[in-house]
């Protein structure tokens, strides 16, 4: 996988390689089972049932890093965070922040476009119970590392959604930027902010946009708006749009 990821010359080539990955047997079996059985509400739809590539612009200043696709969201639609409740919350917030052209994301052909932003997941296949293993995260890491490498010239800020994505970021500093990760690792929390030298992106922590967080009020629209407003500012978008 490392060789395939490294060979990708641009994001389109990388996305095609990601979608053809079969590296993790447990995840392959689960994503294919979900795509075959389907949820009753979507039984007339053909599921994507493959790894889900990143989504967004190639000159992104902001990267949003999630955990993994949802079984009946990205695993169904083929686009990260599209077609599930987490995506409803995330894209509405991106639209309010001027980082998306519309507040909804229901299908891969719904004309959604991101501005200054790219979204990726630490693990590219839907995992059982939304819980990939550390080994699966590490196996999948070369895809994320190459994706960040390809947008590295413009990337200024990374927003990590949840502790899993926060933890997935730090090894990337060494692999992509050649920078030693901070020791000890900064603790995750909503609104956490880490800044290294100017050669690496700044990192913001944000509670994940899961139903568990948004339905209970642990993460509110105002809290999300504050994170993306800060990301815009750190990325220099307040000055030049």
């Amino acid at each position: 996988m490392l060789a395939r990821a490294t060979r990708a010359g641009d994001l389109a080539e990388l996305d095609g390689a990601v979608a053809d990955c079969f590296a993790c047997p447990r995840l392959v079996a689960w994503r294919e089972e979900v795509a075959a059985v389907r949820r009753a509400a979507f039984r007339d739809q053909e599921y994507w049932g493959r790894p889900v590539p990143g989504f967004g612009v190639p000159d992104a200043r902001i990267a949003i890093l999630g955990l993994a696709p949802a079984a009946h969201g990205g695993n169904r639609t083929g686009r990260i965070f599209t077609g599930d409740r987490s995506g409803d919350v995330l894209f509405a917030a991106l639209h309010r922040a001027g980082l998306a052209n519309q507040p909804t994301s229901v299908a891969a052909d719904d004309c959604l476009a991101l501005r200054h932003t790219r979204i990726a997941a630490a693990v590219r296949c839907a995992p059982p119970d939304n819980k990939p293993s550390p080994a699966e995260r590490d196996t999948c890491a070369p895809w994320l590392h190459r994706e960040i490498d390809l947008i590295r010239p413009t990337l200024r800020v990374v927003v990590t959604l949840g502790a899993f994505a926060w933890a997935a970021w730090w090894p990337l500093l060494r692999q992509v930027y050649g920078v030693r990760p901070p020791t000890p690792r900064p603790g995750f929390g909503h609104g956490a902010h880490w800044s290294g030298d100017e050669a690496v992106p700044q990192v913001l922590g944000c509670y994940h946009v899961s139903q568990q967080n948004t339905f209970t009020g642990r993460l509110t629209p105002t809290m999300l708006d504050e994170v993306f407003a800060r990301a815009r500012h750190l990325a220099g978008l307040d000055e030049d749009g």
Side-chain angles (χ1 to χ4, degrees):
M1 181 192 298
L2 176 61
R4 293 184 67 197
T6 303
R7 286 198 301 268
D10 56 27
L11 289 173
E13 187 176 349
L14 179 70
D15 292 348
V18 166
D20 193 41
C21 184
F22 292 85
C24 299
R26 185 180 80 111
L27 298 186
V28 171
W30 175 249
R31 80 194 191 203
E32 293 181 351
E33 177 183 346
V34 170
V37 175
R38 308 179 188 180
R39 178 173 284 174
F42 308 123
R43 61 180 175 270
D44 60 339
Q45 297 183 22
E46 182 176 350
Y47 275 53
W48 172 256
R50 298 159 67 186
V52 180
F55 172 66
V57 296
D59 57 350
R61 295 198 198 182
I62 299 170
I64 300 171
L65 181 58
L67 190 158
H72 302 282
N75 189 58
R76 172 174 60 91
T77 64
R79 192 169 69 192
I80 190 70
F81 280 112
T82 292
D84 63 50
R85 293 292 182 89
S86 296
D88 292 344
V89 173
L90 176 62
F91 288 110
L94 292 176
H95 183 254
R96 291 194 300 271
L99 299 173
N101 69 324
Q102 61 190 42
T104 58
S105 177
V106 297
D109 59 355
D110 63 4
C111 298
L112 175 70
L114 299 184
R115 304 184 181 114
H116 312 294
T117 305
R118 186 160 179 93
I119 304 175
V123 173
R124 304 305 170 104
C125 292
D129 300 318
N130 293 320
K131 293 180 179 179
S133 70
E136 289 162 346
R137 177 198 62 204
D138 294 345
T139 298
C140 209
W143 299 127
L144 175 62
H145 294 177
R146 183 57 178 155
E147 188 160 7
I148 295 299
D149 190 34
L150 288 169
I151 65 174
R152 177 178 173 178
T154 57
L155 184 61
R156 298 292 177 265
V157 183
V158 178
V159 177
T160 63
L161 300 177
F164 189 94
W166 178 267
W169 172 258
W170 307 111
L172 189 147
L173 289 178
R174 188 186 303 276
Q175 296 297 324
V176 176
Y177 290 90
V179 173
R180 179 179 297 177
T183 304
R185 298 288 191 269
F188 171 75
H190 185 80
H193 177 209
W194 177 84
S195 179
D197 61 38
E198 294 184 356
V200 299
Q202 300 187 60
V203 184
L204 295 175
C206 178
Y207 289 149
H208 196 280
V209 287
S210 65
Q211 292 184 58
Q212 181 179 359
N213 287 336
T214 58
F215 283 12
T216 61
R218 186 170 190 244
L219 178 65
T220 66
T222 298
M223 292 166 67
L224 264 180
D225 290 348
E226 290 170 350
V227 167
F228 287 124
R230 193 174 189 190
R232 282 188 59 99
H233 175 73
L234 295 174
L237 294 174
D238 290 347
E239 292 77 21
D240 54 15

